[in-house]
């Protein structure tokens, strides 16, 4: 087995809000993998990322953030983006106002962490395009089918990467049938 980096896996979402439950579903599946060196957290408020980074300064090499996103593709599509040295453009999805499902989004938390000097050396965003977000609704079937692909992308993000692959955006198509 290839060594896993010491890292945080942080799934953002609410299990009672339709497709926003995809983050918690991915966290549950990643936790079941028992990846060495990986700490898995489930949060509802992206600002909690800043607290996790403050607690982990100097001991986490990578953070993989999993969140539902909207407006970047077809429902159930999984997108992966490595955060680089420059601010992440809003078009990357997974989270500023109007792009994610939170008032203060994941990208806002990333930029706050950068400004505070606590952003880990690597941050990878794994976004799953949602179909619906309604209180009390179950996750849609198309988004539920994307969970295994998102889990695989989280696992891969925890492995060492060469520099050329860090700036790419990976789109994983999930069958709708």
């Amino acid at each position: 087995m290839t060594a896993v980096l010491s890292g945080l896996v942080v799934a953002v979402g609410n299990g009672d809000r339709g497709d926003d439950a995809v983050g918690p579903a991915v966290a549950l599946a990643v936790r079941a993998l028992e990846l060495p060196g990986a700490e898995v957290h489930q949060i509802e408020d992206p600002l909690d990322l800043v607290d996790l980074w403050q607690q982990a300064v100097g001991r986490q090499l990578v953070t993989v953030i999993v969140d539902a996103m909207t407006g970047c593709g077809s429902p159930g599509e999984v997108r992966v983006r490595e955060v680089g040295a420059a601010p992440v453009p809003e078009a990357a999805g997974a989270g500023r106002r109007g792009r994610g499902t939170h008032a203060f989004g994941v990208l806002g938390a990333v930029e706050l962490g950068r400004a505070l000097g606590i952003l880990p050396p690597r941050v990878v965003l794994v976004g799953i395009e949602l179909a619906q977000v309604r209180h009390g609704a179950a996750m849609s079937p198309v988004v539920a089918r994307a969970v295994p692909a998102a889990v695989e992308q989280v696992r891969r993000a925890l492995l060492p990467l060469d520099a050329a692959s860090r700036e790419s955006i990976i789109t994983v198509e999930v069958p709708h049938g």
Side-chain angles (χ1 to χ4, degrees):
M1 177 180 224
T2 308
V4 175
L5 292 174
S6 177
L8 291 173
V9 176
V10 184
V12 183
N14 181 322
D16 294 324
R17 290 186 61 222
D19 291 344
D20 198 36
V22 72
V26 171
L28 186 65
V30 170
R31 195 173 282 121
L33 295 176
E34 298 181 358
L35 299 171
E39 294 179 24
V40 182
H41 297 268
Q42 194 271 315
I43 62 174
E44 288 187 29
D45 183 353
L47 261 171
D48 291 341
L49 280 162
V50 175
D51 292 332
L52 289 170
W53 288 328
Q54 285 175 325
Q55 295 167 21
V57 167
R59 60 180 190 91
Q60 298 299 331
L61 299 177
V62 62
T63 294
V64 183
I65 304 167
V66 182
D67 195 10
M69 63 181 188
T70 182
C72 293
S74 301
E77 186 176 280
V78 178
R79 292 178 55 89
V80 180
R81 182 175 182 111
E82 179 114 1
V83 173
V88 180
E90 226 176 287
R96 284 191 202 222
R97 273 180 216 268
R99 305 301 280 178
T101 62
H102 315 281
F104 186 88
V106 167
L107 297 182
V110 166
E111 294 311 320
L112 181 57
R114 185 187 319 272
L116 294 173
I118 59 172
L119 199 63
R122 281 187 62 219
V123 177
V124 179
L125 305 174
V126 177
I128 303 94
E129 186 74 22
L130 56 80
Q132 56 83 23
V133 179
R134 289 188 306 272
H135 286 285
M139 194 180 341
S140 66
V142 68
V143 172
R145 284 192 299 273
V147 170
V151 169
E152 176 59 15
Q153 294 306 315
V154 169
R155 188 193 66 76
R156 293 171 127 200
L158 291 169
L159 299 173
L161 297 175
D162 61 49
S165 65
R166 290 186 179 181
E167 296 303 320
S168 64
I169 297 175
I170 302 163
T171 301
V172 179
E173 295 290 333
V174 177
H176 295 284

